[in-house]
């Protein structure tokens, strides 16, 4: 019975660690994509403002 509890706790800890690392990786990817899209849209809006003489909202 004691060994089952230790095994169960080890599985729970492994799942928690895996979830935490996955969450950190997703947040890093989210930040990277956000920076990428910000640069793309800023560049696109600047070109549109210049080419069509309009101001962005």
């Amino acid at each position: 019975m004691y060994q089952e509890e230790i095994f169960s706790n080890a599985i729970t800890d492994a799942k928690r660690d895996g979830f935490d690392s996955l969450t950190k990786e997703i947040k890093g990817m989210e930040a990277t994509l956000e920076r990428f899209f910000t640069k793309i849209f800023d560049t696109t809006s600047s070109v549109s403002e210049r080419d069509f003489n309009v101001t962005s909202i």
Side-chain angles (χ1 to χ4, degrees):
M1 185 168 153
Y2 181 70
Q3 291 176 348
E4 291 175 6
E5 186 177 328
I6 291 173
F7 183 71
S8 176
N9 288 341
I11 289 175
T12 303
D13 290 343
K15 286 181 181 179
R16 187 177 302 121
D17 290 343
F19 181 75
D20 290 343
S21 65
L22 181 62
T23 303
K24 288 177 185 177
E25 186 174 339
I26 288 173
K27 287 184 181 198
M29 291 172 59
E30 181 182 5
T32 301
L33 287 172
E34 187 174 334
R35 285 192 306 266
F36 172 75
F37 285 126
T38 300
K39 287 184 179 187
I40 291 295
F41 292 133
D42 284 346
T43 302
T44 304
S45 65
S46 298
V47 169
S48 296
E49 289 175 12
R50 184 190 68 221
D51 290 348
F52 300 107
N53 197 23
V54 293
T55 57
S56 64
I57 296 175

